[in-house]
């Protein structure tokens, strides 16, 4: 079963980290991910650009609106996510616990249902 592990944190806190602090968090997570990579269970790990780069599409009065920024004002923002293939909810929960060990972020785990396969080039361009 495919699961998404959604990572939420206060964007202001994360953006205030030094490069060394940010790299330390990612390196720790990378060590945890290696077991899943080796077992063919690790899908993409996605880091979202800041909410200031977001565009929201809404409908108001039957008209489609294109708005700058996220739709909701929240204390924590969705900063990224992992896609993993696990045999059970227990397995993905244990993986998530290991990923966030020692961190103040919040992880939300959701089962995925692919309703249409996509086609992506081998290398996807990353926004910078």
């Amino acid at each position: 079963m495919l699961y998404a592990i959604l990572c939420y944190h206060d964007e202001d806190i994360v953006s205030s980290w030094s490069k060394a602090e940010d790299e330390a968090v990612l390196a720790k997570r990378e060590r945890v991910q290696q077991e899943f990579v080796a077992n063919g269970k690790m899908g993409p790990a996605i880091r979202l650009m800041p909410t200031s780069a977001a565009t929201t599409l809404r409908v108001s009065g039957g008209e489609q609106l294109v708005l700058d920024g996220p739709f909701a004002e929240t204390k924590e923002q969705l900063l990224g996510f992992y896609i993993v293939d696990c045999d059970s909810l227990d397995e993905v929960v244990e993986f998530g616990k290991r990923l966030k060990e020692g961190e103040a972020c919040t992880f939300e785990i959701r089962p995925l249902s692919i309703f249409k396969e996509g086609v992506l080039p081998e290398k996807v361009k990353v926004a910078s």
Side-chain angles (χ1 to χ4, degrees):
M1 173 108 201
L2 291 177
Y3 291 90
I5 303 173
L6 308 172
C7 183
Y8 295 88
H9 204 311
D10 183 323
E11 188 174 67
D12 291 335
I13 291 172
V14 173
S15 65
S16 72
W17 290 346
S18 69
K19 183 174 180 174
E21 289 170 314
D22 189 62
E23 287 175 350
V25 168
L26 296 179
K28 191 254 330 168
R29 288 186 181 178
E30 178 68 24
R31 288 189 297 275
V32 174
Q33 293 169 40
Q34 286 310 306
E35 176 186 330
F36 267 51
V37 169
N39 292 324
K41 293 180 174 241
M42 188 73 207
I46 307 296
R47 188 173 213 177
L48 299 176
M49 300 303 290
T51 55
S52 60
T55 301
T56 299
L57 305 176
R58 294 191 63 182
V59 173
S60 179
E63 181 182 345
Q64 288 206 30
L65 303 175
V66 179
L67 308 169
D68 291 336
F71 173 69
E73 292 292 326
T74 60
K75 290 183 180 182
E76 293 181 322
Q77 293 76 37
L78 175 61
L79 301 183
F81 58 93
Y82 299 87
I83 305 295
V84 294
D85 186 5
C86 294
D87 296 326
S88 68
L89 179 59
D90 290 339
E91 183 182 15
V92 71
V93 165
E94 286 306 310
F95 178 67
K97 285 179 178 179
R98 289 175 48 213
L99 269 180
K100 79 173 258 43
E101 188 173 323
E103 296 181 34
C105 62
T106 299
F107 279 179
E108 176 183 347
I109 297 170
R110 291 212 197 161
L112 295 177
S113 173
I114 296 176
F115 64 92
K116 181 158 177 65
E117 290 286 337
V119 179
L120 290 176
E122 199 166 301
K123 289 191 177 190
V124 178
K125 183 179 179 184
V126 177
S128 55

